[in-house]
Amino acid sequence: KNQVEQSPQSLIILEGKNCTLQCNYTVSPFSNLRWYKQDTGRGPVSLTIMTFSENTKSNGRYTATLDADTKQSSLHITASQLSDSASYICVENVGDMRFGAGTRLTVKP
Amino acid sequence: NAGVTQTPKFQVLKTGQSMTLQCAQDMNHNSMYWYRQDPGMGLRLIYYSASEGTTDKGEVPNGYNVSRLNKREFSLRLESAAPSQTSVYFCASTPRGLQGDYNSPLHFGNGTRLTVT
């Protein structure tokens, strides 16, 4: 199985709330696993990268975690803002890059 | 720096028509890529160029051709458009060359939205 799977497909939360997005990847070990944010009508932009030896990495209000035993990565967003409304894409780098279909997050006021 | 620039932003074609999507980057990157993005699916690689003068097929190359014109520019051509090619097309680049450096992120353009009727 060489598909990266993300859940949920879509999520709606209220401004100020936290949320967690999930990514099931395919290969252990891998070169790296990266999370991208894609605003509507724009190209994806890198948020954070995790190498196989890392368990957690933070970038401001975004925290990515990695569990090699279950082949899962999570992206936790704290104190959400309206500008967090976007799609979040998980990408596994195993030489070639495997893209998840993304989670569409909507933050409502 | 503009980063990765794609033209046009939108295009409508009739079945059988041809067109070229243009991409240019000003970051002196070695590798460039063309992806398509369809609803409910991850980005899929059409073609890539690991360095100036080389191009290789990706996951979904049928119906497309590419040209790495120079280090900055990488174009994607549809010779005879089909409705199945309706999609959003993204160009991307990384500093990575033939030597590796797999930790470089992809830098994406803002896409070309193509509809084939």
Side-chain angles (χ1 to χ4, degrees):
Chain A
K1 179 176 162 180
N2 62 354
Q3 279 190 302
V4 173
E5 296 179 347
Q6 292 189 243
S7 62
Q9 279 190 318
S10 62
L11 183 62
I12 301 173
I13 62 174
L14 291 176
E15 188 178 11
K17 297 296 186 184
N18 304 336
C19 67
T20 300
L21 315 180
Q22 302 284 358
C23 171
N24 290 336
Y25 60 89
T26 66
V27 174
S28 199
F30 49 71
S31 292
N32 57 63
L33 188 141
R34 193 181 290 273
W35 285 91
Y36 286 84
K37 179 186 180 188
Q38 184 177 18
D39 292 317
T40 301
R42 312 278 288 187
V45 175
S46 177
L47 277 177
T48 185
I49 179 176
M50 300 198 74
T51 58
F52 193 67
S53 59
E54 293 175 306
N55 294 117
T56 185
K57 182 176 278 188
S58 291
N59 177 7
R61 294 180 297 102
Y62 300 101
T63 299
T65 62
L66 195 65
D67 185 333
D69 291 333
T70 60
K71 293 196 205 138
Q72 282 190 332
S73 177
S74 297
L75 182 69
H76 186 73
I77 304 174
T78 305
S80 60
Q81 300 176 358
L82 298 178
S83 59
D84 293 330
S85 293
S87 289
Y88 292 84
I89 300 171
C90 171
V91 183
E92 180 186 17
N93 190 342
V94 293
D96 59 315
M97 280 173 277
R98 298 175 180 172
F99 288 79
T103 292
R104 175 72 207 173
L105 174 66
T106 303
V107 181
K108 294 200 166 184
Chain B
N1 285 350
V4 178
T5 303
Q6 292 184 237
T7 57
K9 288 184 169 49
F10 301 93
Q11 185 71 49
V12 179
L13 292 178
K14 294 188 190 309
T15 296
Q17 288 185 319
S18 62
M19 77 162 295
T20 300
L21 282 64
Q22 307 286 354
C23 174
Q25 51 91 10
D26 61 4
M27 297 173 282
N28 200 35
H29 285 173
N30 290 307
S31 297
M32 298 185 73
Y33 307 78
W34 277 105
Y35 289 92
R36 60 178 289 172
Q37 186 175 43
D38 299 295
M41 301 182 73
L43 284 151
R44 291 183 292 169
L45 183 64
I46 304 171
Y47 271 94
Y48 67 100
S49 170
S51 64
E52 186 178 356
T54 70
T55 61
D56 285 287
K57 294 179 181 180
E59 180 186 355
V60 289
N62 291 346
Y64 305 95
N65 284 300
V66 290
S67 295
R68 182 76 182 263
L69 304 168
N70 47 56
K71 192 170 185 179
R72 291 185 64 246
E73 298 172 288
F74 189 39
S75 63
L76 179 71
R77 182 157 179 85
L78 287 69
E79 290 291 351
S80 179
S84 61
Q85 294 178 305
T86 293
S87 188
V88 182
Y89 291 86
F90 286 97
C91 177
S93 69
T94 74
R96 181 194 316 165
L98 294 171
Q99 301 295 326
D101 182 15
Y102 291 96
N103 288 337
S104 307
L106 287 165
H107 296 258
F108 287 88
N110 286 328
T112 294
R113 282 141 190 85
L114 175 66
T115 302
V116 183
T117 61

